[in-house]
Amino acid sequence: MPLRDENGRNGGVRINPSILAADFVNMQSELARIASADFVHVDVMDNHFVPNLTFGPQMVERIQATSTVPLDVHLMIADPDRWAPGYAELGAASVTFHLEAATEPVALARRLRDIGARAGVAVKPATPVEALFDLLDDFDQVLVMTVEPGFGGQSFMPETMPKLRRLADEARRRGSAVWLQVDGGIGESTIAQAAEAGADTFVAGSAVFGAADPAAAIAGLRATAAQHRHAH
C-alpha cells in the first residue's frame, strides 16, 4: 500500500492513532474506524523495559493481517536487538525501538531496513537527543516521547519540546528526510505545540478512539498540525 505522504518536509503531516486506546475485543471494527489514518501505532510492551504488558508478535501479526492501514510498531521492550527484526518480518511498515534498550542501534536499524521496514528509534523524556545527531541517516524516524513510556492516557510533557526543536533544527541543517514523531498526550491543543517544535508524525490515542467520529478527529488533528507546521 503506498504511503500517503513520503515527505514531511513538504508540510505533510501523518496521524498515527494508537490502538492502546482501542477496544481490543473489537479490534477489526476499531481498525475500520481509523481507515483514514496514515499508520496504525502499535505499542509492544514487555513488562520489563516498561511496567506494562500489551501485545506480542501473534497479536501484531493478526493486526497486520486485518488492518488496511500500514503498521507503525513501537517496541518498548528490552533486548530489541534480538526481537525487533521479527516484527519487520511480520510485514510492519515501520519498526521503532528504544535507544535506551538497544546494544547496537545502527546495526539493528540496518537489519530492519534490509528486511523492508522503516527503521525508527525512540527516546524517553529524560534521554538527550544529541546522541542521535550523527546517526540521523541511519534512521527513517525518530520518536521523541512526550510522556514516560508504559501507559496510555498520560498528560503531555511540554518540557520535551526544546529537545524536539533541537532535533528538528539539526535534521534541517543536515538536509535529513527523517520523520520526527511524538507520542503521548497528543490532542487538539498539544499537537499544535509539537508541530511548531518540528514534529511531522503524531501518535494520538484517546483523541481519536475516544471521539464520536474518529475520521473527523483524524482530519482535525491533521489540519491543526499542518497549520502550525507552516507557521514554524
Side-chain angles (χ1 to χ4, degrees):
M1 176 176 176
L3 303 184
R4 291 184 175 82
D5 175 30
E6 268 297 331
N7 196 339
R9 291 175 303 172
N10 289 339
V13 300
R14 286 162 292 274
I15 305 296
N16 302 9
S18 167
I19 59 164
L20 262 191
D23 174 3
F24 297 162
V25 177
N26 296 301
M27 188 61 77
Q28 190 157 3
S29 61
E30 290 285 73
L31 290 166
R33 293 171 76 211
I34 58 161
S36 61
D38 297 279
F39 291 82
V40 182
H41 191 79
V42 182
D43 290 301
V44 174
M45 307 184 194
D46 64 357
N47 226 359
H48 184 67
F49 180 70
V50 290
N52 198 3
L53 187 64
T54 57
F55 321 105
Q58 285 174 299
M59 184 70 171
V60 174
E61 187 171 24
R62 286 295 300 136
I63 296 166
Q64 172 72 27
T66 305
S67 179
T68 59
V69 179
L71 266 53
D72 171 36
V73 175
H74 176 196
L75 300 176
M76 303 183 215
I77 63 173
D79 201 6
D81 304 78
R82 178 179 178 187
W83 300 112
Y87 289 90
E89 286 161 359
L90 292 177
S94 179
V95 177
T96 297
F97 59 86
H98 268 267
L99 183 65
E100 303 90 354
T103 308
E104 300 278 354
V106 171
L108 179 53
R110 288 177 184 156
R111 175 94 179 93
L112 294 171
R113 283 176 163 180
D114 286 346
I115 295 168
R118 294 176 63 84
V121 62
V123 288
K124 293 180 179 181
T127 302
V129 287
E130 283 71 15
L132 293 171
F133 284 1
D134 289 334
L135 309 181
L136 289 178
D137 287 346
D138 294 297
F139 291 98
D140 301 294
Q141 173 170 280
V142 178
L143 167 52
V144 173
M145 291 297 297
T146 45
V147 297
E148 286 296 338
F151 293 91
Q154 296 185 74
S155 296
F156 177 83
M157 296 169 65
E159 60 269 30
T160 58
M161 290 298 97
K163 180 169 84 169
L164 173 59
R165 201 177 293 274
R166 291 196 303 275
L167 183 63
D169 288 345
E170 182 67 14
R172 195 179 303 111
R173 190 180 73 77
R174 292 175 182 247
S176 168
V178 71
W179 293 357
L180 300 182
Q181 185 178 61
V182 285
D183 178 5
I186 298 296
E188 271 296 334
S189 59
T190 54
I191 200 169
Q193 294 177 58
E196 281 174 2
D200 52 42
T201 307
F202 305 88
V203 178
S206 46
V208 171
F209 280 107
D213 183 347
I218 289 166
L221 290 167
R222 194 180 272 132
T224 301
Q227 176 190 342
H228 286 272
R229 269 186 68 72
H230 288 310
H232 175 51

